[in-house]
Amino acid sequence: MLFCCDHNAVRSPMAEGMMKKYYGDQVYVQSAGVKSELDVDGFSVAVCEEIGVALSNHRARSFDEMQEWGDDLSSYDLIVALSPASQRKVLDLTRYHHLEVEYWPVMDPTGLGTKRDEKLAAYRQARDQIRERMISRFGAPR
């Protein structure tokens, strides 16, 4: 399973981390971004730590880097796009593969709020959107 978003720094690392924590013994999970010039976002790390999901060792990677490293998209059974840009990229990259692609629209919290508490609230909202969709799709974590 592959989660993707714009930069692999906020939403897709959160999804990857939660999926590994909740269903890790049942599925192979990775994440990628359309671009990867950013490090994992500190607010994402903070809100995931609140629910016992560690992201501090996450290294952002792009679809191009995946291909350079030999990680073939056709080896995934399911790709979940969390942003419009990543959905467009995935549909373009998979047009010749028979893969299941889902779009889970999750808000981008990066530009929301001016104070730390406001920013954390926005990141929690994005985290919770991903978690609710994940549990709805895959069932209660074990």
Side-chain angles (χ1 to χ4, degrees), residues 2-142:
L2 179 71
F3 287 101
C4 54
C5 66
D6 295 352
H7 298 279
N8 194 222
V10 178
R11 292 167 284 186
S12 58
M14 287 196 280
E16 176 186 351
M18 284 187 278
M19 191 74 182
K20 285 179 176 177
K21 178 176 176 67
Y22 299 155
Y23 311 100
D25 60 341
Q26 303 164 27
V27 66
Y28 174 75
V29 183
Q30 290 293 313
S31 65
V34 175
K35 301 175 184 176
S36 68
E37 73 275 3
L38 303 175
D39 291 326
V40 67
D41 189 287
F43 288 109
S44 291
V45 172
V47 300
C48 282
E49 283 178 358
E50 294 173 352
I51 60 168
V53 173
L55 296 185
S56 56
N57 292 328
H58 178 79
R59 184 197 174 284
R61 66 183 188 153
S62 68
F63 288 109
D64 291 340
E65 288 171 317
M66 284 179 66
Q67 291 175 334
E68 289 171 15
W69 301 339
D71 198 353
D72 186 3
L73 283 181
S74 67
S75 64
Y76 292 94
D77 295 319
L78 174 62
I79 300 175
V80 176
L82 303 170
S83 70
S86 65
Q87 180 191 30
R88 285 189 300 276
K89 181 74 170 180
V90 166
L91 292 175
D92 182 53
L93 291 172
T94 62
R95 69 180 175 259
Y96 300 113
H97 303 286
H98 180 50
L99 296 173
E100 188 175 353
V101 177
E102 294 182 9
Y103 175 50
W104 297 0
V106 174
M107 69 167 217
D108 180 0
T110 57
L112 302 177
T114 55
K115 298 177 183 163
R116 179 174 171 76
D117 289 346
E118 294 169 349
K119 288 189 172 293
L120 285 170
Y123 279 75
R124 286 183 190 112
Q125 186 177 354
R127 176 202 65 199
D128 294 345
Q129 285 179 343
I130 295 166
R131 183 173 51 190
E132 289 167 13
R133 187 69 182 256
M134 188 177 289
I135 291 170
S136 172
R137 171 70 164 83
F138 300 108
R142 293 183 182 196

